[in-house]
Amino acid sequence: MIQLRDRTSADKILQRLASMNLNLTLMHVCGTHQDTIVRYGLDTLLKDCGVKIRQGPGCPVCVTTATEIEEAVTLARRGKTVATYGDMLRVQGASGSLADARSEGAKVKVVYSITDAVKLAEQTEDEVVFVAIGFETTAPSTAITLLGKTPGNFSVLSCHRYLPPALEALLGMGELKLQGIIEPGHVSTIIGTKPYEEISKKYRLPQVIAGFEPLDVLMAVYMIARQVQTSKAIVENEYSRTVREEGNPRAVKALSEVFKPGDSKWRGFPSIPRSKMKLKSEFAASNAEERFSDDLKTVIGTEFSEPAGCGCDRVLRGLMEPQECALFGEACTPQRPVGACMVSMEGSCNIEYRYRRPSLAQSR
Ligand code: SF4
């Protein structure tokens, strides 16, 4: 665990929380929040104050389904150049991962942005498919790229998702009784505060948008606790230094010009209404699913099961901690990941393993 830089301020918030006699279960939906929470041991400090925090479906790589991975793997094996973020390489589809396809000779390139993928397309006559993952944070760059001029051999496999429908689905499933949600600062920078309001009203649930420093997270927990104790259920913005009520209208406009909401499964979830960013028909030529529909006809719409024994579905719904999975740290490690949550640097299992492996080893 890393020492908090501003321990005095953190202690003040923790003392206040401790004096509130709390028994709260909260969720956040962000890999960066989880990194902060585990890196600084905030979950342990908060447990002593009566607050449990679970990570929900907030890791873009983790929520991408085996079907979507299989689509990318199939395209690579059928001769397309697949451009993807490094985190996606080792996630398993039904017939292996993109890394497996690459070791068989398929052209799979790691890129750091969609701009890199476009440059790749400009330098080759091959078909280049960019695997576009992420929430409202990363989707605007995909939208803005497609609104501009792209090479004729460039297309996008859109796995982008809208976050609020997943929150709604999670709460609607009712598996976990939550007293509040910490919302991600970066998604909120784009969508603003309003999309969360209906959720607070419908489920009588406090939500606080938070930044990524340890004090941001602690403050967000305190703001939720204060709402619970005063019987409020509203959306508050702890990250007001960055997030505005209206979000980023230019980015929201770009999203609405390029994408339309479609129903989609998320890893660990049944189909969530209007949760996937599907490319509008005007962008059919840039839509890898349409452009290569013959290559993908046995994959699109087919459901593939998770690896045997993998608990990622329950981890992503906040029902299980990584250490509760029988495979954690033994059969499943970042070097030999079984499930998506161990592959991605934003996945709960990967984060838990990276920061707490020594204590895990001691406890066995
Ligand atoms: S430890 Fe591995 S197998 Fe278990 S839930 Fe995490 S990623 Fe899945």
Side-chain angles (χ1 to χ4, degrees), residues 309-312 315 320 322 325 327-328 332 338-342 349:
C310 173
C312 282
V315 169
M320 188 168 98
C325 174
L327 307 187
F328 180 81
C332 182
V338 174
C341 298
M342 188 62 92
C349 300

Side-chain angles (χ1 to χ4, degrees), residues 306-316 320-333 336-343 348-350:
E306 294 297 318
C310 173
C312 282
D313 56 340
R314 291 176 61 76
V315 169
L316 287 165
M320 188 168 98
E321 300 275 15
Q323 312 90 315
E324 294 173 81
C325 174
L327 307 187
F328 180 81
E330 302 279 349
C332 182
T333 64
R336 285 182 296 109
V338 174
C341 298
M342 188 62 92
V343 176
S348 311
C349 300
N350 183 295

